[in-house]
Amino acid sequence: MRDADIKLAEIDSQYLWNISEIELVSGFVLHRDELYQVKQASEEGALGTVEIDDKARDSIEGYSQLSWQIDDHEVLAGIRAQHDSEFGWHSAARINALFSLVESQQQQWQLRMGVGQSYRVPTLKERFYIFDHSNLGYMVLGNDQLDPETAVSTNLEVTYLNQLNSSKQQLSLSVNAHYARAKDFIETVTDVDASAASGLLISCYSNVEQAVMKGLDLSAKLSLGKVNYQLSYSYLHATDHSGEHLSDRPTHQIKANLDWQLPFDIHGLIYLVYENGSYPTEQQVGVEKDAWSSLNLSLSQSLNKNWHWVAGVDNVFDNHQNTDAIAAGLLDVRPLSSRRVFAGISYQFY
């Protein structure tokens, strides 16, 4: 058993200027993380072993973002600079634009595009934390050798909106193409040797020297008063510097949900996810399961402004990983947890 003491502190300040059609937002963020972790002794009264001894991270960030409204169009540009106590200075800039191409009382076409940089330092959790869920069959280990992740990305999206017969009925369709090239990309990989030796799924964080991710997202939303439908499909092609596919990233993903307002203000939700086309890591010896589906059902109701209840079932089909296959070094992309039945009631103080 392990005890972890995690402290987070942040101060965020922001100021807004408005000059005609131009809006400028500037601010800064002061941030501090602390992590202390002890492995408890197996014998009563014995002292535990300190595994993480007061690790800390400090950072200061400054940012500015300019929004320029031109009729029904908008241009958004921003820059962010950060100094981290472990990794020093870095900055990133991005520009986005929104164009309303065709607009009428009932229909609207929009075009969004953007290009820019991103930067992310590894968190204390990714560098040091030992996440031990041996009772559930897995552990996630930090890696103190991680480097910051940088990327350049671009996207292009077309959206169609149609106001149907009434204000409560609306159809939305969108297509989004995206491309990103990352350096020292941080991902979670399976340690096959450690998994085989322990009989657990042992994962750790690692840097990928170069990564390229490109894909296409399609989505449709239909609102018909008390019933809302949503369907989306995502295609992703993610490879490293040698052209090998990145692990644990499905090529195809389908999500669908039905949101229904039932009598007595009961809120019903049906949520379905399907994924396939995941690839094993270099350390894994084969594939147990590279596709999975999950169905979640829930009901909820607000009895009044204070009382609220919810009940449901997650993972109705009880799709979960085969721990024996994981220990043998096989890829199994199904979730760790099995079917979950839940119910709860909450009270909100005002």
Side-chain angles (χ1 to χ4, degrees), residues 122-137:
T123 64
L124 292 182
K125 173 186 173 183
E126 292 168 329
R127 295 175 63 201
F128 304 107
Y129 191 48
I130 300 173
F131 188 70
D132 188 354
H133 266 196
S134 300
N135 59 319
L136 297 178

Side-chain angles (χ1 to χ4, degrees), residues 265-322:
D265 290 328
I266 296 176
H267 182 78
L269 180 64
I270 303 173
Y271 179 59
L272 175 68
V273 179
Y274 172 77
E275 295 180 353
N276 75 11
S278 293
Y279 294 86
T281 65
E282 293 181 356
Q283 296 81 15
Q284 290 171 320
V285 298
V287 176
E288 168 74 9
K289 197 74 173 178
D290 66 349
W292 69 280
S293 61
S294 177
L295 176 65
N296 301 333
L297 307 174
S298 69
L299 293 173
S300 61
Q301 182 187 30
S302 293
L303 301 176
N304 52 44
K305 69 176 184 178
N306 301 106
W307 289 99
H308 177 84
W309 67 264
V310 62
V313 182
D314 285 344
N315 195 4
V316 174
F317 301 138
D318 197 22
N319 284 328
H320 58 85
Q321 289 182 346
N322 181 341

Side-chain angles (χ1 to χ4, degrees), residues 85-283:
S85 57
E86 294 291 327
F87 301 103
W89 284 100
H90 198 88
S91 62
R94 186 170 184 86
I95 184 168
N96 296 286
L98 167 65
F99 301 99
S100 295
L101 303 179
V102 178
E103 188 170 1
S104 66
Q105 188 173 0
Q106 287 188 316
Q107 301 184 52
Q108 185 177 8
W109 286 89
Q110 294 180 338
L111 173 66
R112 289 180 172 87
M113 58 181 65
V115 62
Q117 305 165 305
S118 63
Y119 174 78
R120 186 175 77 85
V121 300
T123 64
L124 292 182
K125 173 186 173 183
E126 292 168 329
R127 295 175 63 201
F128 304 107
Y129 191 48
I130 300 173
F131 188 70
D132 188 354
H133 266 196
S134 300
N135 59 319
L136 297 178
Y138 72 98
M139 292 179 66
V140 183
L141 307 179
N143 178 3
D144 61 1
Q145 300 301 311
L146 287 176
D147 292 320
E149 170 189 308
T150 59
V152 176
S153 63
T154 183
N155 71 285
L156 180 67
E157 179 179 321
V158 177
T159 303
Y160 170 71
L161 302 171
N162 190 326
Q163 199 74 33
L164 302 178
N165 296 328
S166 71
S167 60
K168 294 184 179 181
Q169 298 181 352
Q170 186 180 69
L171 172 66
S172 172
L173 304 172
S174 69
V175 179
N176 178 39
H178 54 88
Y179 176 89
R181 181 178 293 272
K183 179 181 178 182
D184 293 322
F185 183 67
I186 299 173
E187 70 163 354
T188 306
V189 299
T190 301
D191 189 328
V192 175
D193 293 336
S195 298
S198 64
L200 304 172
L201 172 62
I202 306 295
S203 301
C204 61
Y205 298 96
S206 178
N207 283 120
V208 177
E209 182 181 344
Q210 296 281 348
V212 175
M213 290 157 286
K214 50 189 174 183
L216 186 69
D217 300 325
L218 308 175
S219 69
K221 299 178 184 178
L222 179 61
S223 298
L224 299 175
K226 294 184 178 181
V227 183
N228 297 314
Y229 305 90
Q230 185 171 349
L231 177 66
S232 65
Y233 165 75
S234 296
Y235 169 80
L236 177 64
H237 184 77
T239 57
D240 63 14
H241 57 282
S242 61
E244 295 294 325
H245 289 274
L246 296 182
S247 62
D248 294 331
R249 281 175 173 76
T251 303
H252 307 282
Q253 182 185 74
I254 298 174
K255 293 182 178 181
N257 68 60
L258 169 63
D259 190 332
W260 194 359
Q261 191 69 39
L262 300 168
F264 306 106
D265 290 328
I266 296 176
H267 182 78
L269 180 64
I270 303 173
Y271 179 59
L272 175 68
V273 179
Y274 172 77
E275 295 180 353
N276 75 11
S278 293
Y279 294 86
T281 65
E282 293 181 356
Q283 296 81 15

